[in-house]
Amino acid sequence: MKFKQVIIYVILLFIVNILYGQNLKFVHYTPEEENGISNGTVRKIIQDKQGIIWIGTEDGINKFDGYTFRKFKYNPDDTNTVSDNKIYDILEDHDGKLWFATGFGLNKYDPKFNRFIRYLNIENNDNSLSDNSVRCIVEDNEMVLWIGTDNGGLNTLNINTGVFYNYNNRKDSSSLNVEIITALFKSNDGNIWIGTKNNGLFKYDQKANDFKQYLFTHNNEEYQEMKNWITCIYEDNNGNLWIGTRKGGLNLMDKKNNILIDYTKLLDISEPKELDKYW
């Protein structure tokens, strides 16, 4: 065995021994504990700028400081509480304010007064939230909030004025005629990506003020529908978008080379396909 090979072998053996010697400890937090989490179904977890963990569940918000949970729940007799216990998404904005997407309205937490400010749909008011079932939220580079709803399409919110803008059923190029928004993501280049139910992926072009659709097409209608129901979006260090779907597996969108890779292997993808052929 050559000297270099011996050195490499010794280094690898040393690394394996270190990893083997580490004892990983998992701590389980359950609703059954005296001071445990409020519900076993967790939809969102973030860590704020102060290091506090915020957890959105099926039954309220949990604030975790590393030792104890503090719970925030809806109280019908107190308008300063969160407007619903079903929490879908949590966002900390540029100013450190916390926003919560719930089953009934958008909420902003005011830590100074320990209260929630509610943003709800107001009938016949186009400047209000279009639908009270809020699924996802993200903030763009202009410090505008983007809000996806279950039945009212895509909204934006000017944080300073409190005015909403609904992109659904408009009479210009900015219209996005999709009722159900399932995922929102801001990529490193500042673009907003919108995941939908059965309508695929959209990218918002801020300069043109319009949306480009990326629709997965396939001769198997059921498979096509699954691939176009987007559940989550993530960008890696190479600028690729990883797209999770509902029962359609995982897709990788290579933005630089305009290539889509279907990681479910249900298609013949021995070679990468050009994006335009399948979207």
Side-chain angles (χ1 to χ4, degrees), residues 72-83:
F72 299 88
K73 291 190 177 185
Y74 168 67
N75 182 345
D77 299 320
D78 186 353
T79 57
N80 291 320
T81 61
V82 64
S83 59

Side-chain angles (χ1 to χ4, degrees), residues 196-213:
T196 71
K197 177 183 177 181
N198 301 336
N199 284 282
L201 185 70
F202 289 82
K203 180 177 75 172
Y204 175 67
D205 186 334
Q206 190 171 18
K207 292 182 179 180
N209 190 32
D210 64 9
F211 297 88
K212 180 179 180 180
Q213 184 181 24

Side-chain angles (χ1 to χ4, degrees), residues 209-225:
N209 190 32
D210 64 9
F211 297 88
K212 180 179 180 180
Q213 184 181 24
Y214 299 88
L215 189 66
F216 190 96
T217 59
H218 191 261
N219 55 17
N220 184 315
E221 185 176 342
E222 183 180 2
Y223 182 58
Q224 175 177 304
E225 186 175 282

